[in-house]
Amino acid sequence: MGDLYALYHPIVPVEVMMLDYQERELVLDGMEIDWVEAAADLTAVKAIWAKLKPTLAANSDGAKSGDDYDRSLAAVVRDLEQKDGARLILDANKGLELVDAMGTVFK
């Protein structure tokens, strides 16, 4: 999917859009109580975040967004460890809000 986004040379890094997609998948995993898919989606989120974080940190407005997202991601990890679907839904939705805010850093 990232390759598809990249074809259009967006101003916002492709990884932001990919994070948006994966965070939505985490919300759905919480709704379905699907821990196997949630773990796979979390692995994808971590990989995408590892690519995006340095780009965000290099932007003078991005450092706080990165710190906030780190805390959000830690909450999602905890939710999966505790197998708490309701919290996963809440925390993944918070992550979605933070990803949306990240997009504005690059515009």
Side-chain angles (χ1 to χ4, degrees):
M1 181 171 41
D3 293 339
L4 178 63
Y5 290 145
L7 287 174
Y8 298 97
H9 306 289
I11 295 169
V12 175
V14 169
E15 289 82 10
V16 173
M17 293 175 247
M18 293 170 61
L19 266 184
D20 187 69
Y21 173 82
Q22 288 300 148
E23 285 281 349
R24 289 181 198 286
E25 288 296 309
L26 283 169
V27 171
L28 295 173
D29 296 337
M31 293 171 73
E32 294 293 321
I33 313 296
D34 188 340
W35 302 117
V36 173
E37 283 299 313
D41 289 328
L42 179 60
T43 298
V45 165
K46 287 178 177 180
I48 296 163
W49 180 232
K51 287 182 183 179
L52 177 61
K53 189 175 180 178
T55 304
L56 192 64
N59 186 302
S60 61
D61 296 327
K64 182 175 181 333
S65 293
D67 292 343
D68 292 344
Y69 192 74
D70 279 335
R71 283 188 291 280
S72 172
L73 189 53
V76 168
V77 168
R78 185 179 58 248
D79 299 338
L80 263 67
E81 289 171 349
Q82 296 175 356
K83 295 194 179 341
D84 188 336
R87 289 294 320 170
L88 177 58
I89 293 166
L90 290 172
D91 290 332
N93 274 317
K94 288 178 187 174
L96 276 168
E97 291 173 13
L98 293 169
V99 170
D100 288 344
M102 279 180 212
T104 65
V105 169
F106 298 99
K107 292 182 179 179

